[in-house]
Amino acid sequence: MNTKSLLLCLSAAMLLSLQACGNNNNSINKVPLEYDVPSELTIGTPVDLDVPNLETSPNHDPILVAKGHQLLSLNKPVTTSDPYPPLQGSLDWITNGEIDGNPGYSVILDSPGLQWIQIDLEDSYLIDAVVFWHFFSEDRVFHDVIVQVSNDEEFTTDVTTLFNNDHDNSSGLGTGTDKAFIGTNQGKQVPGNGVNARYVRLYSNGSTASRNNEYIQVQVFGRPIHTESDAESDADPDA
Ligand SMILES: [Ca+2]
Ligand SMILES: [Ca+2]
């Protein structure tokens, strides 16, 4: 190798390491979350909700997440803590891609109080966002909303909490500092921060309307986990 080709090699190596640094920087390559927003519905009259810790000026702009995020949860299997079949709908409606606030499109769990539903992404991914719609055709706040991800199906180890608005720890899962919110057609967007996980679990504990738990849709966005050899073989400065 002559001096000129050695210099070329060194410049190429420096460029690659600069790119690698860039990829590790969270502020780079972030884009607004791309997801489907269903039509707005205002069937009910506004309700004066007396809810502690309720957010006052919600921002529904798409959150910033990693470029290249994909919808991972479409038609993925859903399980629940509720031992009984739903009162309305079936669990697969939660990931069926249909997001409609009209009556008849939501799954209503049979057992009231604190319950979870869980999506199996069938592989581990880097999770960028979880978006969910409980109900949005009238003002309603669900209690003790907690979103967790894990690679452990039982959620006994390796659990990351992405959102928790159980301000008084009535769930026993820890005190949450996130705000209570009124569901809208924009859905509730929760950042995933690129955490590595296969399972996504969402808790709720009834709402201001009833003790029942209800879901129109949950969407999980993220990216495949690239190994170092993958990254070398498909290195693309625009990726
Ligand atoms: Ca649905
Ligand atoms: Ca609580």
Side-chain angles (χ1 to χ4, degrees):
M1 186 180 287
N2 61 30
T3 314
K4 192 178 172 189
S5 35
L6 180 67
L7 277 173
L8 274 172
C9 283
L10 280 172
S11 329
M14 279 171 72
L15 207 78
L16 277 174
S17 55
L18 275 173
Q19 275 171 19
C21 293
N23 288 340
N24 288 336
N25 186 331
N26 284 336
S27 66
I28 292 178
N29 284 337
K30 290 239 172 161
V31 294
L33 177 67
E34 282 183 37
Y35 72 103
D36 293 332
V37 175
S39 305
E40 197 175 359
L41 281 175
T42 43
I43 294 171
T45 45
V47 188
D48 190 14
L49 296 167
D50 183 20
V51 177
N53 209 28
L54 184 65
E55 65 182 0
T56 46
S57 45
N59 178 2
H60 296 300
D61 292 343
I63 58 174
L64 293 181
V65 294
K67 192 175 176 181
H69 60 275
Q70 307 158 16
L71 176 60
L72 306 172
S73 53
L74 187 64
N75 296 322
K76 294 290 169 68
V78 182
T79 52
T80 176
S81 53
D82 187 357
Y84 302 104
L87 283 177
Q88 170 178 290
S90 61
L91 292 174
D92 59 313
W93 290 9
I94 294 174
T95 53
N96 67 356
E98 204 161 37
I99 316 169
D100 192 319
N102 284 295
Y105 286 89
S106 65
V107 178
I108 304 175
L109 299 183
D110 183 73
S111 297
L114 188 72
Q115 300 290 340
W116 51 257
I117 58 109
Q118 182 169 317
I119 298 168
D120 178 3
L121 300 173
E122 297 183 316
D123 202 351
S124 296
Y125 293 91
L126 304 177
I127 308 296
D128 289 314
V130 180
V131 189
F132 54 96
W133 293 258
H134 288 128
F135 186 93
F136 60 86
S137 53
E138 67 175 30
D139 288 351
R140 196 174 284 188
V141 175
F142 280 78
H143 305 300
D144 304 335
V145 176
I146 300 167
V147 181
Q148 295 182 325
V149 296
S150 181
N151 277 308
D152 173 14
E153 188 172 8
E154 303 299 324
F155 280 72
T156 46
T157 58
D158 176 40
V159 176
T160 302
T161 300
L162 301 180
F163 184 91
N164 181 351
N165 68 13
D166 180 13
H167 70 285
D168 59 1
N169 194 24
S170 57
S171 65
L173 292 162
T175 303
T177 55
D178 292 300
K179 294 284 190 186
F181 60 93
I182 297 170
T184 75
N185 64 313
Q186 311 273 340
K188 183 63 180 173
Q189 304 174 66
V190 171
N193 308 316
V195 67
N196 176 331
R198 169 172 170 171
Y199 302 95
V200 180
R201 184 179 280 199
L202 291 92
Y203 289 84
S204 62
N205 184 8
S207 73
T208 44
S210 78
R211 294 196 65 221
N212 288 108
N213 298 287
E214 183 163 5
Y215 291 88
I216 295 167
Q217 192 75 10
V218 178
Q219 293 198 320
V220 183
F221 295 86
R223 292 155 289 143
I225 299 164
H226 284 290
T227 61
E228 277 186 24
S229 55
D230 289 338
E232 280 165 20
S233 63
D234 62 21
D236 174 0
D238 295 322

